[in-house]
Amino acid sequence: MRLILLAAPGAGKGTQAEKLSKHFDIPTISTGAILRQNIKDGTELGKVVKGLIDKGQLVPDDVMIQLMNDRLSADDCKNGFILDGFPRTLTQAEALDHSDIKIDKVLNIDVPDEKIIARLSGRLECSKCATTFHKEYRKPAVDGVCDICGGELVVRDDDKPETVKKRLATYHEQTEPLLHFYADKGMLRTAHGQEEISDTTKEVLKVLED
Ligand code: AP5
């Protein structure tokens, strides 16, 4: 399975990518996680992208296309992959379309903006392994501590309410048009984000069967 997850920030792409990755036994390539790791490591790329991410803006297309060409040619992608966060603009989608990488399906997780704002304001992320939790919907066993690795749980810099609004505006303007791009190719499947994460996963698996 070569799958693109295409949804608004906070719609649950990362959460569902984690489930689908286990279900299909294929890696998830999260562009956000790759970029945040670069920021943490203080790389040249990290220095370039930090300001943009903190403002809720997108990283330039040429940077992302090069990054993903390199990543998708790695051995672990040979039997399939889940793209969480790429493509995000028509230029990125066209570059992928013209490459040798063939995509089977594109999944949209549909969640209204109001719910997204509530979700992101409660999100916690492990500072070590980047697993996400939620203050209400996915509580860690011990407050402030990651269930997986024991790392400290923190609020992402770009989850501040003003930045979330900007990220949503960027999504509607630059990423939402991709829904038509992939619908026209017959590749788009849509699931509706449910209150329970496991209910969303059930719907996602069902729509991916079509
Ligand atoms: P990225 O990390 O991809 O951020 P995003 O798209 O804004 O996605 P999020 O991680 O915020 O949301 P998600 O849908 O994964 O939500 P999650 O599952 O965590 O990118 C960050 C930045 O990097 C971008 O803004 C941009 O600057 C840059 N970038 C990345 N890719 C790029 C590209 N291709 N081109 C240019 N720039 C790029 O869920 C959210 C919360 O809700 C969690 O707390 C979760 O527990 C909870 N939750 C999930 N599902 C449910 C549910 N069903 N019910 C209740 N709560 C739920």
Side-chain angles (χ1 to χ4, degrees):
M1 169 78 83
R2 290 174 175 78
L3 179 69
I4 292 172
L5 292 191
L6 191 64
K13 288 190 302 299
T15 305
Q16 295 306 321
E18 197 186 311
K19 310 274 180 204
L20 294 173
S21 184
K22 282 190 193 133
H23 183 86
F24 292 114
D25 193 21
I26 48 177
T28 291
I29 319 293
S30 161
T31 45
I34 295 172
L35 297 171
R36 282 189 292 281
Q37 189 62 47
N38 274 274
I39 293 173
K40 208 167 153 187
D41 294 345
T43 66
E44 282 309 309
L45 174 65
K47 285 177 198 155
V48 172
V49 302
K50 182 170 178 6
L52 295 169
I53 292 181
D54 286 353
K55 279 189 262 173
Q57 292 171 2
L58 295 181
V59 171
D61 286 331
D62 55 341
V63 174
M64 293 312 301
I65 291 166
Q66 183 61 51
L67 186 75
M68 293 310 278
N69 275 340
D70 293 346
R71 181 62 188 90
L72 291 173
S73 59
D75 274 356
D76 67 336
C77 292
K78 290 213 165 90
N79 296 324
F81 51 77
I82 298 165
L83 287 183
D84 167 14
F86 184 89
R88 243 177 165 102
T89 64
L90 271 176
T91 304
Q92 293 177 17
E94 278 161 0
L96 185 60
D97 201 39
H98 295 138
S99 75
D100 295 337
I101 301 152
K102 291 296 155 239
I103 301 297
D104 300 312
K105 286 173 189 168
V106 178
L107 175 73
N108 173 31
I109 305 171
D110 190 29
V111 178
D113 284 7
E114 317 80 76
K115 281 201 180 161
I116 283 176
I117 292 169
R119 280 188 193 182
L120 289 184
S121 61
R123 174 163 63 183
L124 299 165
E125 187 176 273
C126 176
S127 54
K128 269 200 202 160
C129 73
T131 301
T132 55
F133 296 85
H134 194 278
K135 287 175 188 166
E136 267 183 66
Y137 308 120
R138 192 184 185 184
K139 291 182 185 172
V142 178
D143 266 0
V145 180
C146 176
D147 291 357
I148 312 293
C149 74
E152 184 195 359
L153 300 183
V154 295
V155 175
R156 253 168 61 175
D157 282 344
D158 61 348
D159 278 349
K160 290 178 193 129
E162 280 317 302
T163 315
V164 168
K165 282 185 196 151
K166 177 69 189 136
R167 283 162 61 200
L168 276 170
T170 304
Y171 167 79
H172 289 305
E173 193 184 304
Q174 300 199 49
T175 308
E176 213 166 38
L178 301 193
L179 296 178
H180 299 289
F181 180 85
Y182 288 115
D184 287 348
K185 293 178 183 294
M187 294 163 75
L188 187 70
R189 307 287 181 275
T190 297
H192 300 92
Q194 312 286 332
E195 291 304 318
E196 288 291 329
I197 292 170
S198 57
D199 289 340
T200 307
T201 307
K202 276 185 209 148
E203 191 180 330
V204 162
L205 288 172
K206 195 160 173 281
V207 300
L208 286 179
E209 280 171 12
D210 292 345

